Amino acid sequence: MREILLKNARKIITMDEQRQIFEGADVLIQDGAIAAVGPDLESKGETLLATDCVITPGLVNTHHHLYQNLTRAVPAAQDALLFGWLKTLYPIWSRMTPEDFFLSAQLGLAELALSGCTLSADHLYLYPNGARLEDTIEAAKTVGLRFQPTRGAMSIGESAGGLPPDHLVEREADILNDMIRVVDGFHDASPASMCRVGLAPCSPFSVSRDLMRDVAVLARDKGVMLHTHLAENDEDVAYSLAQFGCRPGQYAQDLGWTGDDVWHAHCVKLNGAEIDLFAKTRTGVAHCPCSNCRLGSGVAPVRAMRDAGVPVGLGVDGSASNDMANMIGEARQAMMLQRVVLGADAMGSYEALEIATRGGADVLGRPECGRLMPGARADIAVWDAQALGASGSWDPGAVLLAGATQVKHLFVEGRQVVADGQLTTLDLPALIARHSARAVDLAQAT
């Protein structure tokens, strides 16, 4: 039995059922799971001193487009709204290769790991030049993060009234067949799973109603989760009203896209009735505050969602609409936006941290993650309470108000992925060099 004892942490924020917080306590890891949390624990295995550190569950990212790491800060897209932003970037993305998808996923997951993330979803909805979902799955294995890739799709091109160019869309029969292939080949439903596959048509403006219905039926037959973009901005809602004669929430409900096996990205423009629908059906939301700001989409009604009982997690979104993937920063942004709209008491540091950990794990259907308690998976973030940004803090647990912006140690399934602020699984400088060079190639070809 392999044991690791994280010893004498200044504060442990468990996010367990009672939301317990320990001071001067320990976390015992056994064979990839948490065996105990509390004071004066002992182990015959490895011991890692966590003195002057805060321990939290690993952060959970519920929405990303990892391939976009090669198209950060593209000049023509920097100040565009969503639809114009997409039209600018589609031609660039169409030139990407399978190696580009692998490289981008490596870089993005490494960045997430250093920001305290242990579990990340990804929404890959275009497959140019022979790219496949497993390009990202293989990349995740090299980084060591727990991964929830989704087989996305676009089937309605410009000639049929959709947004993407025709050469980036796929035949719906081919989409469904490949969804079956990747679920059968890569989905692991076990509690310790490092890879669970979901199904994720891109959005209401890039796929047909028939595909949305068929994918919902397929996902439930296979026992996997469903994901898409919904109600992201005013354009999105206007499109739904014009094309479908209803708001996005009704569209989702009519097509079988509500339930505890579904999570939608953004949901900035949900109204009260839609929030009630999501709460009643336990439909999840991936809140992406930085991306929503970057694209001018608005501030999602997270306080209202939480109060109604909607499951809410956090997502960094793609790096072409966020330009970075820092989960601890994303959590701080979520907290600050609710305060801007509703007042300083609208959301505190500990609640925002809960959304970024336990909340995200629950949205992804992973209740064994996102909390520190016996039996949970050993996905753990250790933060230096003496870091520059934490110095002078009277409450080291309020990490989103005053704390480190990079994790000190990170464990995924009990394996150390970050040690003393350095990634243990990859040569990060070499990866950055390869990634940067490829981004230059893409820019020069534009």
Side-chain angles (χ1 to χ4, degrees):
M1 179 182 294
R2 184 169 181 266
E3 286 192 351
I4 302 172
L5 180 63
L6 307 183
K7 188 69 177 174
N8 196 35
R10 185 170 178 184
K11 185 165 282 193
I12 300 173
I13 304 170
T14 67
M15 296 300 171
D16 65 4
E17 304 307 309
Q18 294 77 38
R19 309 302 193 270
Q20 293 184 88
I21 296 175
F22 295 94
E23 295 186 3
D26 319 317
V27 179
L28 179 61
I29 302 169
Q30 291 179 344
D31 291 338
I34 294 173
V37 181
D40 304 319
L41 301 181
E42 296 182 355
S43 171
K44 295 180 180 179
E46 177 186 350
T47 296
L48 179 66
L49 287 177
T51 306
D52 290 321
C53 290
V54 175
I55 296 178
T56 71
L59 309 185
V60 178
N61 176 36
T62 62
H63 185 65
H64 207 329
H65 308 293
L66 286 165
Y67 76 90
Q68 292 180 9
N69 281 296
L70 280 167
T71 52
R72 287 171 157 165
V74 172
Q78 286 180 17
D79 303 319
L81 298 177
L82 176 62
F83 282 17
W85 174 87
L86 283 168
K87 284 181 172 294
T88 298
L89 291 167
Y90 280 141
I92 303 172
W93 295 336
S94 70
R95 296 197 298 273
M96 292 177 63
T97 67
E99 177 60 25
D100 291 335
F101 284 82
F102 177 85
L103 192 61
S104 290
Q106 277 191 316
L107 192 287
L109 292 169
E111 184 180 16
L112 284 169
L114 290 170
S115 73
C117 179
T118 52
L119 165 61
S120 181
D122 185 47
H123 188 186
L124 182 55
Y125 53 80
L126 47 80
Y127 298 86
N129 307 309
R132 300 185 298 174
L133 189 67
E134 51 262 46
D135 297 325
T136 61
I137 293 172
E138 293 304 315
K141 290 178 182 177
T142 69
V143 180
L145 291 200
R146 207 178 293 277
F147 198 38
Q148 195 140 330
T150 60
R151 205 303 182 180
M154 298 189 296
S155 65
I156 299 179
E158 288 178 306
S159 64
L163 199 66
D166 288 348
H167 64 272
L168 274 181
V169 303
E170 302 173 89
R171 293 177 60 251
E172 295 191 349
D174 294 337
I175 290 167
L176 292 167
N177 286 334
D178 198 58
M179 286 179 168
I180 294 168
R181 181 187 71 84
V182 295
V183 170
D184 290 348
F186 301 102
H187 180 69
D188 177 4
S190 70
S193 170
M194 293 296 290
C195 181
R196 289 191 183 174
V197 176
L199 304 182
C202 182
S203 64
F205 49 81
S206 59
V207 298
S208 72
R209 284 175 177 252
D210 287 342
L211 184 64
M212 292 290 285
R213 289 193 189 94
D214 290 346
V215 171
V217 171
L218 175 60
R220 285 166 181 138
D221 179 64
K222 292 290 187 180
V224 300
M225 294 192 71
L226 290 161
H227 183 52
T228 192
H229 299 90
L230 198 77
E232 183 170 354
N233 65 6
D234 290 330
E235 287 178 290
D236 195 337
V237 175
Y239 184 94
S240 182
L241 290 169
Q243 297 297 318
F244 311 129
C246 63
R247 286 186 54 87
Q250 186 65 54
Y251 173 84
Q253 184 180 38
D254 290 348
L255 299 179
W257 276 75
T258 55
D260 62 5
D261 57 351
V262 182
W263 85 104
H264 295 286
H266 300 292
C267 296
V268 175
K269 298 297 180 178
L270 292 188
N271 65 18
E274 289 166 323
I275 290 172
D276 289 343
L277 169 65
F278 278 31
K280 180 180 179 181
T281 57
R282 301 296 296 167
T283 304
V285 169
H287 174 44
C288 305
C290 289
S291 175
N292 295 342
C293 289
R294 165 76 156 75
L295 292 172
S297 300
V299 180
V302 174
R303 178 73 277 151
M305 292 182 195
R306 292 267 296 172
D307 290 347
V310 176
V312 179
L314 285 185
V316 299
D317 204 4
S319 291
S321 65
N322 185 335
D323 306 301
M324 62 182 67
N326 186 302
M327 270 298 297
I328 197 73
E330 201 75 39
R332 177 181 169 87
Q333 184 84 337
M335 174 183 69
M336 293 302 184
L337 284 177
Q338 295 308 300
R339 290 176 175 225
V340 164
V341 174
L342 300 171
D345 59 351
M347 183 170 289
S349 176
Y350 287 87
E351 183 180 9
L353 182 64
E354 179 176 324
I355 294 171
T357 54
R358 182 188 180 102
D362 290 349
V363 163
L364 295 183
R366 301 298 304 258
E368 67 279 4
C369 300
R371 57 267 277 161
L372 304 178
M373 54 188 287
R377 307 317 303 170
D379 294 1
I380 302 168
V382 182
W383 308 90
D384 186 356
Q386 292 188 318
L388 177 64
S391 181
S393 174
W394 289 28
D395 179 5
V399 293
L400 303 185
L401 290 173
T405 55
Q406 183 169 308
V407 76
K408 183 174 184 179
H409 305 297
L410 191 74
F411 294 85
V412 181
E413 191 65 14
R415 295 182 285 269
Q416 192 163 8
V417 174
V418 176
D420 291 316
Q422 302 297 314
L423 198 67
T424 65
T425 51
L426 289 175
D427 182 344
L428 188 56
L431 171 59
I432 292 171
R434 292 195 305 274
H435 186 267
S436 297
R438 181 54 183 151
V440 170
D441 290 343
L442 284 171
Q444 290 177 343
T446 299

